[in-house]
Amino acid sequence: MNVHTIGVMMNGVTGRMGTNQHLVRSILAIREQGGVKVGDNEIIMPEPLLVGRNENKLKRLSDEHGGLPFTADVPGALQDNTWPLYFDAQTTVRRYESVKAAIAAGKHIYCEKPIAMTSAQGLGLHSLAERAGVKHGVVQDKLWLPGLRKLKHLIDSDFFGRILSVRVDFGYWVFTGEHEPSQRPSWNSKRAEGGGVFLDMLCHWRYVIDNLFGYIKSFTCLGAVHVTERWDEQGRRYDSDADDAIYATFITDRDIICHLSSSWCTRVRRDDLLMMQVDGMKGSAVAGLRECWIQPDSMTPKPVWNPDIPSPIDYRAGWALMPTNQEYDNAFKAQWELFLRHVVLDEPFPWNLKEGAKGVQLAELAYESWEKRRWMDVPEL
Ligand SMILES: NC(=O)c1ccc[n+]([C@@H]2O[C@H](COP(=O)([O-])OP(=O)(O)OC[C@H]3O[C@@H](n4cnc5c(N)ncnc54)[C@H](O)[C@@H]3O)[C@@H](O)[C@H]2O)c1
């Protein structure tokens, strides 16, 4: 067996995303399945090194997973060639400097979104990585969600005909922490600590729209700070000054209108946390995280406005659930496998730091749109 082992230093690995999605459900899951199979007799095997500032937390995580190597000496690990790949899932404000240092040390880069606090910094990282000749990528996990992959299949097979519009409804109630502990870290709700749903979620919506419906040409975005008082992990009250809802409308270069609501202040009465409805001339589809329902033109009921009687049409019954014809792996793991193939086998990996910078650019322009109350064009980066 030809085994390509690759050392991956994982920074921010004690965090919510670092531990659950990247260490446990991606890197360790890949190791448990025997590596990434890339040929009859060939695999790629990632070897993680847990890095961070808190040795105790790292040790605890290491012990929980059978004694993985760990160190709080990040500069030392950067100089160690045993770990050619640097992964970063720290809080957003720390990403730019950390990734920059890793590029300077000659590491390949894979990191969480947002890749920086400004698009200029993001583009800077892209240029540095290109100049250093290292491989680089950004997490764009939503593209591997089963529901979105089913939508992509419908688009590619021309189920919709001409696509007219898309409606994205995302969000859930994030508890304030007063009576019920919050399910998101408190830095998310503080602007000075890199929080805010604009930077957080518009990075996702940028690549989702660009990849499925065409490059975003222009848009308008209204934000809100709906909840201004929250309680942190220690139960201390603080002023939450970060934007917690996005109300945006985008137009793409395929003239598709995407209308989006993305909020931490809404309660779910839909099939899933994320629902996307796509309306086309030949049919419509509604996708959640895993499932996708379709209604072709020939199955479309003909409603007549009459609120004086109960609806004669069962609207939900007129949709068919798409079958799940293949097994979908965890979205983060699926992208990790492609990145490892990119590093080891030089296979293409378009989700690079420039794509990451585009997400940050959209968030920046969104703040401007909100502040100036106007439509923004999105210049090509
Ligand atoms: N792709 C996605 O769907 C997705 C979802 C949520 C979060 N994220 C991104 O992942 C990143 C982490 O988010 P999270 O929710 O896991 O946050 P978190 O607060 O749970 O984890 C942050 C990590 O950074 C480390 N860290 C924080 N301050 C530090 C400091 N001063 N020095 C050294 N290390 C420090 C923490 O120890 C922890 O390991 C964010 O950039 C966020 O935008 C991505």
Side-chain angles (χ1 to χ4, degrees), residues 93 117 176 185-199 223-232 236-245 264-265 367 370:
V93 283
M117 292 297 291
T176 63
S186 56
W187 67 265
N188 275 203
S189 305
K190 301 175 188 169
R191 267 311 279 282
E193 294 183 23
V197 69
F198 273 38
L199 192 57
V225 185
H226 286 305
V227 177
T228 55
E229 187 180 35
R230 289 183 176 274
W231 282 258
D232 69 12
R236 291 175 307 216
R237 185 208 157 277
Y238 64 95
D239 293 327
S240 48
D241 62 352
D243 33 282
D244 50 18
W264 301 134
C265 316
Y367 277 117
W370 178 15

Side-chain angles (χ1 to χ4, degrees), residues 86 88-100 111-116 125:
Y86 174 85
D88 193 302
Q90 295 181 95
T91 48
T92 308
V93 283
R94 304 186 49 77
R95 188 107 60 242
Y96 174 70
E97 291 298 339
S98 305
V99 169
K100 199 166 119 184
C111 69
E112 261 296 352
K113 47 52 70 178
I115 64 162
L125 290 180

Side-chain angles (χ1 to χ4, degrees), residues 8-28 47-65 68-72 74 86-91 94-95 110 112 336:
V8 184
M9 42 180 300
M10 304 185 76
N11 202 357
V13 70
T14 59
R16 203 168 57 110
M17 299 309 290
T19 298
N20 299 331
Q21 298 297 352
H22 294 290
L23 181 65
V24 176
R25 292 192 208 159
S26 296
I27 296 296
L28 295 183
E47 303 277 354
L49 170 71
L50 315 182
V51 307
R53 72 192 143 153
N54 186 328
E55 195 139 357
N56 292 335
K57 272 208 222 164
L58 291 167
K59 174 156 190 345
R60 208 175 316 133
L61 187 60
S62 158
D63 289 346
E64 276 166 22
H65 298 288
L68 297 169
F70 66 94
T71 179
V74 181
Y86 174 85
F87 170 72
D88 193 302
Q90 295 181 95
T91 48
R94 304 186 49 77
R95 188 107 60 242
Y110 189 48
E112 261 296 352
W336 259 107

